[in-house]
Amino acid sequence: MPAEAKADTNSARPGSGSAAPHPPRTTTHSTEFPASPPLTERQEARRRRILHASAQLASRGGFDAVQMREVAESSQVALGTLYRYFPSKVHLLVATMQDQLEHMHGTLRKKPPAGDTAAERVAETLMRAFRALQREPHLADAMVRALTFADRSVSPEVDQVSRMTTVIILDAMGLDDPTPAQLSAVRVIEHTWHSALITWLSGRASIAQVKIDIETVCRLIDLTDPRDQH
């Protein structure tokens, strides 16, 4: 089938001539993603099996371990059906990242960050998310590579990842109606977090350096607080 022809980008590597790493885009603060026909209960269960299989394979062997045929077999769906849900491995792994972020969001809501200021709460939130990814380095590497390789065809999925990241940050800030300046600060924070993941995964930054960078960029939140503007 045509979709199978564009399946796996197994030979791709960051910095090997493929597209340069780019952070997810941020739009507005909303948990409402682009409209699509609602899945039936059976379809949703099938999608969840696929995402679970993707995460399990990536956790064991990273980006290269996620082969579409193996995902189909592990999730007990036909290969053609898998491609109807996710046209390529990159689509699948970006969707897997969104799924992981949704789980993180639920965990963070059950146990919110305890910082005294918005900047402290966001820094704590992002470090908690980072440490969750640190516990699954192969999975983290696979998802970040997928974001790096994503072209325009994957824009809807990348935008959903960005929106979920924005929701997580704004929840930590305690904001429902951010100003344009605050949204701009959130975008910069997202870019820094994404870059920190890449540099850590490539061995070019320690956890301690990541923490310093995250805490530094989160200070932008105080600078964009309208209560402090004169």
Side-chain angles (χ1 to χ4, degrees):
M1 59 185 297
E4 296 184 27
K6 57 179 181 179
D8 294 349
T9 53
N10 288 321
S11 61
R13 290 289 187 278
S16 63
S18 58
H22 58 85
R25 294 175 293 280
T26 303
T27 51
T28 58
H29 174 38
S30 173
T31 54
E32 295 298 323
F33 298 140
S36 59
L39 297 178
T40 66
E41 186 175 337
R42 185 177 179 182
Q43 289 171 330
E44 181 59 35
R46 185 182 296 131
R47 185 177 186 275
R48 296 226 58 80
R49 291 201 309 273
I50 292 169
L51 291 173
H52 179 72
S54 169
Q56 291 280 36
L57 288 168
S59 293
R60 291 198 290 267
F63 187 88
D64 291 343
V66 182
Q67 303 290 332
M68 296 296 271
R69 189 172 297 279
E70 289 189 33
V71 172
E73 291 174 358
S74 181
S75 57
Q76 298 180 320
V77 302
L79 185 60
T81 300
L82 172 59
Y83 279 113
R84 285 198 294 273
Y85 280 81
F86 302 104
S88 73
K89 180 165 81 172
V90 170
H91 285 82
L92 173 57
L93 282 168
V94 173
T96 301
M97 186 165 194
Q98 182 204 343
D99 189 56
Q100 294 293 312
L101 286 171
E102 287 176 355
H103 283 297
M104 288 181 194
H105 188 219
T107 300
L108 289 163
R109 283 195 156 179
K110 291 176 183 175
K111 188 180 179 183
D116 293 331
T117 68
E120 289 174 353
R121 292 192 300 274
V122 172
E124 180 187 334
T125 292
L126 292 179
M127 287 309 299
R128 281 169 61 182
F130 188 89
R131 289 189 182 99
L133 293 172
Q134 185 187 3
R135 290 191 290 271
E136 296 282 1
H138 292 306
L139 174 59
D141 181 67
M143 295 186 301
V144 170
R145 284 191 186 189
L147 283 173
T148 300
F149 303 146
D151 59 20
R152 192 168 295 179
S153 72
V154 197
S155 290
E157 290 81 3
V158 173
D159 286 342
Q160 289 182 10
V161 167
S162 180
R163 287 190 182 98
M164 181 50 62
T165 308
T166 301
V167 167
I168 289 171
I169 293 173
L170 290 175
D171 275 4
M173 291 171 68
L175 286 180
D176 291 320
D177 189 22
T179 66
Q182 287 171 323
L183 281 175
S184 181
V186 169
R187 281 193 293 272
V188 175
I189 291 167
E190 279 192 52
H191 299 333
T192 302
W193 186 67
H194 185 264
S195 178
L197 278 175
I198 292 174
T199 55
W200 171 72
L201 286 166
S202 64
R204 292 183 286 118
S206 65
I207 300 299
Q209 186 60 56
V210 167
K211 187 172 187 292
I212 291 170
D213 292 348
I214 293 298
E215 290 175 345
T216 299
V217 75
C218 285
R219 292 179 192 142
L220 285 174
I221 293 169
D222 296 332
L223 298 177
T224 57
D225 190 333
R227 293 171 298 184
D228 294 337
Q229 306 301 312
H230 300 288

